[in-house]
Amino acid sequence: MTPVQPAGALTLEEARHLQENLREPVRPGLTEAELDAVERRFGFRFAADHRTFLAAGVPIGDRWPDWRCGNPEQLRKRLAWPVDGVLYDVEHHGFWLPDWGTRPVGPEDAVREARRRLADVPQLVPVCGHRYLPGLPGTTGYPVLSVYQTDIIVYGCDLRDYLNREFAAGGISTAPPDGPRYIPFWSRFLD
């Protein structure tokens, strides 16, 4: 079943305009073939608005993932960061979700069981720093999350809103009146 898309998907022209507000330089955008190759290489899918943003241009700098020329191991670590953060809290802070059932006694067993349960959650894909967008292919309008272990907050109700808030001087929020869209698993951390 294909999710219902909100109106107003990010356009290439709008993405280029939003990139004018970035503090870092922007390289030419990724082609469809390059975007497809990144997805195959790293085993995830970009959301449609993330693809459009990267087709418009690839921001460069320490905070931005460089999907064209970046270190593959560093990119893999950034992709693993959200799940690794949850596992860290399972191991070191006793984090456990009630719907996971009874927590195993030993921390190693708890981490193993949590990893099994996290295998099917939507992949979060880095946008900038520890800001992530769910990699739900063909979708638009999902929130950008700031992820640090299980401390997860909405940093923008969608990619457009995030870029306006984070980078446009006096950026105007484009948040929908009913709040950010629900992301399976990850939205449970939001208040």
Side-chain angles (χ1 to χ4, degrees), residues 8 19 26 38 42 44 51 62 100 108 110 121 126 132 148 150 152-153 178:
Q19 289 177 352
V26 178
V38 167
F42 294 101
F44 74 92
R51 284 180 75 94
D62 291 339
W100 287 355
E108 297 85 13
V121 304
Y132 284 79
Y148 197 89
T150 53
I152 300 172
I153 61 172
D178 54 350

Side-chain angles (χ1 to χ4, degrees), residues 30-105:
L30 296 170
T31 65
E32 287 297 312
E34 287 175 308
L35 287 162
D36 292 343
V38 167
E39 291 176 336
R40 279 190 308 276
R41 181 176 190 184
F42 294 101
F44 74 92
R45 301 283 306 274
F46 289 108
D49 46 0
H50 203 169
R51 284 180 75 94
T52 300
F53 178 75
L54 293 170
V58 179
I60 55 172
D62 291 339
R63 299 180 325 140
W64 297 91
D66 184 349
W67 297 110
R68 180 179 284 130
C69 304
N71 177 310
E73 190 55 37
Q74 290 301 316
L75 291 168
R76 282 186 186 87
K77 285 180 182 178
R78 290 180 81 166
L79 284 162
W81 170 271
V83 166
D84 286 349
V86 173
L87 294 174
Y88 182 88
D89 279 355
V90 166
E91 183 176 7
H92 298 283
H93 298 122
F95 176 79
W96 196 256
L97 292 172
D99 57 318
W100 287 355
T102 303
R103 180 185 167 92
V105 175

